[in-house]
């Protein structure tokens, strides 16, 4: 189990950040660590596969590549999957499921492709052991991934189980929660290192602040959950316990404070409960309040937020009440007012905002110092960086004269 080919899928735009994270977790580099479209390829051990599941904040899952072959039709897929020694990974008493993803595959039915791979796995077990494993599409013990491109078929066995964004602490969530992996990608892109105050003034269920608080305390993102690898045959409980203990021993007190606030008090309750479950209740301070009125919680620091936008979640508070000023996107004059508030009161802060609205800097009459492309599921977004320098309010006022 020393030379596994792993693939860690991630959101588009996050590949380089994930490669850096994998390097930090495993020390791997060069040929053993290559970023790829939609993920990172890693040549490493079973032990590192477990450690990546436990420590990665950016990967969606950790897959082990078992076969990569050219194909033309479903029969080729059957052959490829039949040649894999499934019996070293699981037993026919365990249930499994095939998941298919494809990019420009010539096949007409991906369901039929999945069926052929399912048959190949079950037939191989029957041939080797006399028993066919069951398929369970809802709660499988083992997940098998088939990825098809125009000419090649790759078969993976999954080691994560539930997707890695499910950390196990976010039981309360609002209407448009960010995936934990995307919140972590925003933090990574901002370069925040846990030593300066961090504040999310539109915190919703607290995802960004809680991810940040865990980073500040070096709490592993997977410390509260279970993983698919625990059901695979190479799994050795004592090795896994030692990895978990090592991670736990490396947790420490934070060097800074983290803050979140939201105009909806219900969200503040949700965030508080989520932070308790995540083990960071004493590290993040959540409060109610309108982002247009809240004063800075520290002299300087980093703001990270995905503000309310358009159809999924509306602006509330002072700006939301001004119906006369409602604009096409439903944000009213929230963004210009937010910019004015920040310019007046947040000198010394840096704000990073994730939004699908590419015209946001124009609406805020602010010039971004960086823009990072990121995808929120299927929605193309930008993470804009705004530097709030002392005196910028005066300059804007003067310019407006
Ligand atoms: C897109 S959601 C943020 C989701 C959050 N990142 C999460 O993962 O749950 C936007 C949040 O902004 C809040 N909001 C709307 N208007 C606000 C205002 N004027 N001041 C502060 N928060 C506001 C909403 O209540 C909502 O929770």
């Amino acid at each position: 189990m020393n030379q596994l080919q792993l693939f860690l899928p991630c959101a588009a735009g996050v590949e380089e950040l994930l490669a850096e994270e994998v390097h930090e977790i495993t020390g791997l580099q060069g040929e053993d660590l290559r970023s790829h479209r939609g993920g990172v390829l890693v040549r490493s051990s079973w032990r590192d596969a477990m450690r990546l599941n436990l420590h990665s904040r950016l990967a969606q899952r950790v897959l082990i590549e078992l076969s990569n072959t050219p194909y033309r039709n479903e029969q080729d897929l059957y052959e490829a999957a039949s040649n894999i020694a499934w019996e070293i990974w699981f037993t026919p008493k365990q249930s499994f499921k095939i998941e298919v993803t494809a990019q420009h595959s010539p096949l007409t039915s991906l369901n039929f492709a999945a069926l052929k791979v399912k048959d190949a796995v079950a037939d191989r077990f029957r041939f080797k052991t006399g028993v066919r494993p069951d398929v369970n599409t809802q709660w499988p013990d083992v997940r098998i991934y088939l990825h098809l491109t125009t000419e090649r078929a790759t078969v993976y066995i999954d080691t994560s189980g539930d997707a890695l964004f499910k950390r196990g602490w976010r039981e309360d969530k609002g209407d448009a929660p960010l995936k934990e992996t995307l919140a972590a990608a925003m933090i990574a892109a901002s370069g925040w290192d846990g030593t300066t105050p961090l504040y999310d003034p539109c915190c919703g269920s607290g995802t960004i602040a809680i991810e940040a608080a865990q980073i500040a305390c070096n709490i592993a993102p997977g410390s509260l959950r279970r993983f698919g690898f625990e059901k695979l045959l190479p799994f050795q409980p004592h090795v896994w316990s030692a990895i978990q203990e090592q991670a736990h021993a490396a947790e420490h007190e934070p060097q800074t404070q983290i803050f979140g606030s939201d105009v909806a008090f219900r969200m503040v309750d949700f965030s508080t409960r989520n932070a308790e479950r995540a083990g960071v209740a004493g590290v993040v301070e959540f409060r109610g309040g309108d982002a247009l009125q809240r004063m800075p919680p520290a002299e300087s620091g980093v703001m990270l937020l995905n503000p309310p936008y358009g159809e999924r979640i509306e602006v509330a508070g002072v700006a939301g009440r001004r119906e006369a000023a409602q604009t096409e996107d439903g944000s009213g004059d929230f963004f210009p007012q937010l910019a004015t508030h920040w310019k007046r009161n947040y000198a010394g802060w840096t704000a990073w905002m994730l939004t699908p609205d590419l015209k946001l800097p124009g609406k805020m009459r602010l010039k971004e110092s960086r823009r990072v492309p990121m995808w929120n599921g299927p929605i193309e977004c930008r993470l804009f960086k705004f530097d709030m320098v002392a005196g910028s309010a005066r300059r804007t006022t003067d310019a407006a004269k």
Side-chain angles (χ1 to χ4, degrees):
M1 292 292 155
N2 240 347
Q3 275 300 303
L4 298 173
Q5 179 72 51
L6 308 178
F7 182 61
L8 282 65
C10 64
V14 176
E15 296 88 345
E16 293 304 325
L17 295 170
L18 174 58
E20 275 173 41
E21 184 190 58
V22 171
H23 172 68
E24 271 169 36
I25 296 169
T26 60
L28 293 167
Q29 55 190 3
E31 278 295 287
D32 292 332
L33 172 58
R34 281 174 293 140
S35 49
H36 198 262
R37 193 169 154 234
V40 167
L41 286 162
V42 180
R43 204 162 49 202
S44 192
S45 61
W46 170 256
R47 183 186 152 78
D48 273 346
M50 289 193 281
R51 294 189 65 248
L52 286 165
N53 272 295
L54 178 62
H55 290 287
S56 175
R57 292 190 175 273
L58 305 176
Q60 288 163 345
R61 46 183 67 248
V62 179
L63 303 170
I64 300 175
E65 183 182 308
L66 299 182
S67 157
N68 183 330
T69 53
Y71 78 103
R72 288 226 187 108
N73 51 40
E74 291 82 359
Q75 191 53 31
D76 293 338
L77 301 178
Y78 182 92
E79 302 288 331
S82 302
N83 288 333
I84 295 170
W86 296 107
E87 59 282 1
I88 66 172
W89 295 102
F90 64 105
T91 77
K93 288 192 183 136
Q94 291 174 289
S95 62
F96 72 104
K97 179 186 182 183
I98 312 288
E99 307 262 9
V100 188
T101 54
Q103 272 163 359
H104 312 298
S105 167
L107 299 185
T108 43
S109 164
L110 296 183
N111 282 341
F112 190 50
L115 199 70
K116 292 302 277 185
V117 173
K118 188 265 296 175
D119 284 345
V121 176
D123 290 351
R124 178 164 176 128
F125 269 112
R126 196 186 45 193
F127 178 72
K128 294 269 173 194
T129 67
V131 184
R132 282 174 79 94
D134 288 334
V135 168
N136 182 335
T137 51
Q138 227 185 343
W139 310 110
D141 294 320
V142 178
R143 290 164 211 248
I144 293 166
Y145 279 75
L146 168 68
H147 182 66
L148 301 172
T149 58
T150 325
E151 288 169 355
R152 297 197 76 83
T154 314
V155 181
Y156 304 95
I157 192 159
D158 167 55
T159 65
S160 301
D162 279 341
L164 294 180
F165 77 84
K166 294 186 183 169
R167 316 280 205 221
W169 49 258
R170 198 170 66 178
E171 287 176 20
D172 291 299
K173 46 182 182 262
D175 293 331
L178 269 188
K179 275 201 177 139
E180 291 78 344
T181 36
L182 188 58
M186 291 170 63
I187 297 171
S190 78
W192 183 77
D193 62 0
T195 59
T196 46
L198 183 143
Y199 174 36
D200 178 353
C202 295
C203 70
S205 43
T207 320
I208 297 170
I210 295 171
E211 281 292 311
Q214 285 200 332
I215 293 169
C217 301
N218 203 24
I219 297 176
S223 57
L224 293 174
R225 53 163 282 166
R226 315 226 35 176
F227 295 97
F229 61 71
E230 295 174 57
K231 292 189 172 169
L232 298 179
L233 287 174
F235 179 63
Q236 292 174 294
H238 69 278
V239 179
W240 174 226
S241 298
I243 291 173
Q244 285 176 304
E245 275 160 31
Q246 199 181 18
H248 191 51
E251 291 172 6
H252 54 65
E253 290 297 313
Q255 290 178 44
T256 189
Q257 260 187 305
I258 292 154
F259 307 89
S261 61
D262 199 288
V263 75
F265 283 86
R266 192 166 143 259
M267 290 301 144
V268 179
D269 278 350
F270 285 2
S271 298
T272 308
R273 285 205 292 265
N274 286 335
E276 277 163 15
R277 277 187 287 266
V280 291
V283 184
V284 203
E285 190 183 303
F286 288 111
R287 291 201 176 177
D290 192 327
L292 299 181
Q293 294 174 331
R294 285 218 64 91
M295 295 305 277
E299 203 169 307
S300 63
V302 174
M303 275 189 278
L304 263 166
L305 61 153
N306 72 311
Y309 56 86
E311 62 299 351
R312 284 187 81 191
I313 190 135
E314 285 179 5
V315 169
V318 175
R321 284 199 290 275
R322 297 204 183 134
E323 283 167 36
Q326 289 295 302
T327 46
E328 209 178 285
D329 67 356
S331 67
D333 52 4
F334 178 71
F335 289 107
Q337 283 190 62
L338 188 62
T340 306
H341 178 58
W342 285 354
K343 283 175 199 161
R344 249 186 225 138
N345 302 303
Y346 280 77
W349 284 74
T350 304
W352 293 81
M353 289 172 94
L354 184 77
T355 174
D357 182 356
L358 306 191
K359 295 191 188 136
L360 188 75
K363 281 185 190 159
M364 296 183 80
R365 279 180 236 114
L366 283 174
K367 176 79 190 116
E368 77 275 16
S369 57
R370 271 193 67 195
R371 51 166 62 204
V372 184
M374 273 187 188
W375 289 78
N376 185 359
I379 308 168
E380 185 179 356
C381 295
R382 292 287 179 279
L383 180 65
F384 290 112
K385 178 184 182 193
F386 302 112
D387 300 300
M388 299 295 141
V389 285
S392 62
R394 244 194 79 213
R395 272 208 304 280
T396 321
T397 324
D398 291 346
K401 278 181 189 163

